[in-house]
Amino acid sequence: MNKESLEKTFTEIYKTQGTKPQLYFAPGRVNLIGEHTDYNGGFVLPCAIQYGTWLIIRNTTDGLIKLASANFDGRVTVSSAPPLSRQQVKWFNYPLGVMDQFIQRGIPLTGMELLYSGDIPNNAGLSSSASIEMVTAYALNEILNSHLELTELVRLSQKAEHEFAGINCGIMDQFIVGMGKKNHALFLNCHTLEYKQIPLTLNGFRLVIANTNKQRALSDSKYNERVVECQLAVTYLSQIVDISRLSELGFPQFFKMQDKIPDETIRKRARHVISENQRVLNSVNCLWKGDLRQFGYLMNISHDSLKENYEVTGPELDTLVEEARKIKGVLGARMTGAGFGGCTVNLVKNESVDQFIRQVGENYSTRTGLKADFYIAEISDGVRKIESK
Ligand code: GLA
């Protein structure tokens, strides 16, 4: 939806005259490598993409918060006085969760009218929820004059997801949605939150995202289960070595002590996280050197570990990856995001992109009965205000 039609819809819905509404945008993201490492204090390497969420918003004096979306039917109106109540319709809880975090920080809400519009494919693991959270946090920070730092908006959006949406996610998604930079990947230490923008020079290659279009049943509870499994791995390992996060161990060190984890499943989870962490470091080196071939290889073994050790892929993601790897000109193919459905990210030579989309699409649908969608990623900036001309 363009700016004009969004403003028109806003006026149609809210009618009342008031202060001029302001427009904000937050992107979605694709993670290049470093999957399920963030909540283990590890490294990640995501990029912000061209798809995202627009929010048009203004404050009012009636003490009511009104939420609507151009993508979904249904609206909600709640009082701006605490406590804010959780809603049955899932997406409302993302903005309300963020608003609740402002209240928890002693920042009172005013009445306001909000209209969202997004083009991130739903439920595809491209961070549509973090995008809604961050666009809300960024806009509220401005219209409430609360002067919170961007990193604080990132943290409070993550907390909103824990408390209002019930997912114990790491910080990667909110961080990249906040700090993304055009044509750069963000190399983030999720424990210290130190980060570096790594120029993404793809010399003749494209990042192609492929969507399984598989409904991600029970993905939230399986995600939380993985978080608990990693904590259990730390409990076992910390009896031998003084650690509080899996990311504190290097792979050689883990390799020597892995037998101390009695449960094979928990051992595999730790193996993935610790090896994936090292793969992020190696990937950053490859990108600095422009060694895309080696980077693609790391993407491939990342997927294989997510399949064998972390068990978050499933037949649809695995099929997309298998078919992708058959195409000449594909250097790497892996799932991206939480898994259990969602998308893959593929490093594909320019000249092979058309063939990739055709052939992987056909073979995927023959093998699974589902239709895949494809998007060519443009690496974009993080959350921002869209100034009116
Ligand atoms: C989801 C979570 C992130 C991260 C990824 C897996 O996107 O929101 O915090 O854990 O899964 O890497």
Side-chain angles (χ1 to χ4, degrees):
M1 192 177 259
N2 65 26
K3 186 167 173 280
E4 286 67 37
S5 53
L6 200 58
E7 280 170 351
K8 193 163 159 268
T9 313
F10 186 88
T11 316
E12 276 161 18
I13 295 176
Y14 295 120
K15 293 180 187 74
T16 51
Q17 298 298 308
T19 51
K20 189 173 176 316
Q22 306 294 320
L23 183 61
Y24 297 87
F25 176 79
R29 66 100 186 89
V30 62
N31 189 20
L32 300 185
I33 199 160
E35 220 64 85
H36 291 277
T37 46
D38 61 350
Y39 52 84
N40 290 297
F43 300 114
V44 292
L45 192 65
C47 311
I49 54 175
Q50 73 269 37
Y51 303 110
T53 312
W54 286 263
L55 166 61
I56 178 161
I57 179 170
R58 77 172 159 214
N59 21 20
T60 59
T61 50
D62 61 5
L64 297 175
I65 295 173
K66 299 175 195 160
L67 296 170
S69 163
N71 299 74
F72 306 107
D73 291 333
R75 295 183 202 156
V76 78
T77 299
V78 297
S79 162
S80 63
L84 298 181
S85 47
R86 243 179 231 91
Q87 301 293 312
Q88 288 288 324
V89 178
K90 197 173 166 189
W91 86 263
F92 290 130
N93 290 320
Y94 297 116
L96 289 174
V98 167
M99 291 175 188
D100 180 64
Q101 290 297 320
F102 276 76
I103 296 173
Q104 287 191 34
R105 282 164 181 71
I107 302 162
L109 304 178
T110 60
M112 50 188 122
E113 295 168 334
L114 304 94
L115 171 66
Y116 292 83
S117 172
D119 62 2
I120 306 175
N122 253 334
N123 215 8
L126 300 176
S127 284
S128 55
S129 52
S131 177
I132 299 177
E133 288 153 2
M134 282 301 294
V135 79
T136 309
Y138 194 89
L140 287 187
N141 195 36
E142 289 207 358
I143 70 163
L144 299 173
N145 278 317
S146 37
H147 304 291
L148 299 175
E149 300 265 343
L150 194 49
T151 40
E152 186 58 14
L153 301 178
V154 166
R155 282 181 207 274
L156 75 78
S157 293
Q158 181 199 19
K159 237 166 151 244
E161 181 119 5
H162 291 180
E163 293 180 11
F164 257 63
I167 303 167
N168 297 324
C169 64
I171 201 156
M172 168 173 74
D173 300 349
Q174 291 79 8
F175 207 96
I176 180 64
V177 170
M179 311 291 183
K181 185 170 171 197
K182 194 173 164 60
N183 296 332
H184 286 73
L186 182 124
F187 171 41
L188 172 66
N189 176 329
C190 297
H191 179 59
T192 61
L193 298 191
E194 285 168 291
Y195 67 96
K196 254 202 188 93
Q197 303 283 4
I198 312 289
L200 200 56
T201 318
L202 291 178
N203 283 335
F205 284 82
R206 293 272 169 89
L207 288 169
V208 182
I209 299 171
N211 187 350
T212 57
N213 281 317
K214 155 147 196 276
Q215 285 309 310
R216 298 194 298 162
L218 292 178
S219 59
D220 296 356
S221 59
K222 287 192 206 145
Y223 182 93
N224 288 347
E225 189 182 287
R226 292 297 180 279
V227 176
V228 171
E229 287 170 342
C230 289
Q231 287 159 350
L232 199 55
V234 171
T235 308
Y236 285 127
L237 293 170
S238 61
Q239 287 163 8
I240 321 156
V241 58
D242 183 21
I243 58 160
S244 54
R245 309 178 303 279
L246 281 179
S247 60
E248 286 175 85
L249 285 180
F251 198 75
Q253 210 184 352
F254 168 73
F255 194 74
K256 276 191 231 139
M257 62 176 69
Q258 58 178 332
D259 295 345
K260 301 290 186 256
I261 302 180
D263 181 320
E264 167 67 7
T265 302
I266 305 298
R267 206 181 310 138
K268 287 200 303 188
R269 304 299 188 246
R271 189 178 304 149
H272 166 74
V273 171
I274 295 167
S275 61
E276 182 79 353
N277 219 24
Q278 184 61 49
R279 282 188 285 275
V280 181
L281 293 175
N282 296 349
S283 296
V284 171
N285 272 329
C286 291
L287 291 180
W288 278 124
K289 287 192 298 199
D291 186 350
L292 291 183
R293 192 161 290 281
Q294 180 65 13
F295 173 55
Y297 169 74
L298 292 165
M299 290 172 75
N300 286 340
I301 52 177
S302 163
H303 181 89
D304 298 347
S305 173
L306 287 155
K307 177 181 174 192
E308 306 294 339
N309 294 320
Y310 222 64
E311 298 176 282
V312 291
T313 58
E316 294 79 9
L317 284 166
D318 291 335
T319 304
L320 274 182
V321 161
E322 281 167 28
E323 292 302 328
R325 290 180 188 171
K326 288 180 189 164
I327 311 269
K328 207 164 156 264
V330 172
L331 293 186
R334 61 179 291 277
M335 58 151 270
T336 184
F340 316 105
C343 289
T344 64
V345 57
N346 307 273
L347 188 56
V348 187
K349 207 174 177 123
N350 279 347
E351 301 86 79
S352 307
V353 169
D354 290 343
Q355 186 207 352
F356 176 91
I357 293 176
R358 197 172 358 98
Q359 199 167 314
V360 174
E362 275 170 21
N363 293 347
Y364 176 71
S365 101
T366 311
R367 288 178 59 183
T368 64
L370 294 170
K371 187 186 163 302
D373 286 318
F374 297 88
Y375 327 101
I376 297 176
E378 288 162 31
I379 309 309
S380 308
D381 287 323
V383 65
R384 55 198 180 262
K385 183 172 187 184
I386 310 284
E387 300 292 347
S388 49
K389 297 203 180 93

